[in-house]
């Protein structure tokens, strides 16, 4: 059994995670494909890397999960929305995810070499 203080810490951590996953007028919405195909391709560590990076750097972004994005051979996939503009990153791993977050969310720069348009050329 955990102590009351340990349970409070767990609760606060969970509340922070849930707040990050709410789209409350954030500048960016980061969506990670977490269907079976995405998870099998390694989307879980990608999601963890993104959540950790967004939280530690305090980027203005909501991190959300979705089901199948539709291109299983390009999983793990991450979509970043800024208003109506969408950028799709494919074949993402945890290392790429950190770079994507730092450049796209931190500097406003798209990491072209990881985008769907670059990979499928």
């Amino acid at each position: 059994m955990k102590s009351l203080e340990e349970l409070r810490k767990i609760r606060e951590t969970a509340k922070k995670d849930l707040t990050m996953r709410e789209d409350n007028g954030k500048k960016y919405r980061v969506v990670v494909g977490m269907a079976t195909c995405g998870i099998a391709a390694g989307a879980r560590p990608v999601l963890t890397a993104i959540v950790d990076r967004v939280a530690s750097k305090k980027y203005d972004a909501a991190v959300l999960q979705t089901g199948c994005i539709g291109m299983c051979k390009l999983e793990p996939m991450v979509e970043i929305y800024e208003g109506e503009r969408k950028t799709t990153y494919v074949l993402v791993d945890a290392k790429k995810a950190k770079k994507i977050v730092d450049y796209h969310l931190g500097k406003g720069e798209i990491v072209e070499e990881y985008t769907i348009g670059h990979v499928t050329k």
Side-chain angles (χ1 to χ4, degrees):
M1 182 83 184
K2 299 215 180 259
S3 72
L4 186 56
E5 188 57 35
E6 286 176 291
L7 291 173
R8 283 188 181 126
K9 286 180 184 177
I10 292 169
R11 178 177 177 230
E12 289 305 310
T13 301
K15 282 173 68 175
K16 285 179 189 173
D17 286 346
L18 288 174
T19 301
M20 186 182 307
R21 293 173 187 234
E22 292 175 1
D23 188 9
N24 291 332
K26 302 280 188 182
K27 181 175 181 180
Y28 296 102
R29 185 167 40 109
V30 182
V31 180
V32 181
M34 293 292 290
T36 305
C37 53
I39 292 169
R44 204 171 299 281
V46 170
L47 177 65
T48 300
I50 291 170
V51 168
D52 291 347
R53 198 61 152 213
V54 168
S56 70
K57 301 283 187 168
K58 297 183 176 28
Y59 291 128
D60 188 16
V63 182
L64 309 165
Q65 299 177 57
T66 192
C68 184
I69 295 176
M71 295 171 277
C72 299
K73 72 177 189 171
L74 298 176
E75 291 284 0
M77 294 179 64
V78 176
E79 295 179 327
I80 298 181
Y81 295 85
E82 182 178 6
E84 296 297 315
R85 181 176 158 192
K86 175 178 82 168
T87 305
T88 303
Y89 293 101
V90 298
L91 302 171
V92 179
D93 59 25
K95 184 177 177 182
K96 289 178 182 177
K98 291 175 186 175
K99 182 176 180 179
I100 290 166
V101 169
D102 287 341
Y103 277 79
H104 199 133
L105 278 56
K107 299 178 180 182
E109 298 174 11
I110 295 171
V111 185
E112 293 289 338
E113 67 261 28
Y114 302 157
T115 63
I116 190 166
H118 184 78
V119 172
T120 57
K121 284 184 181 177

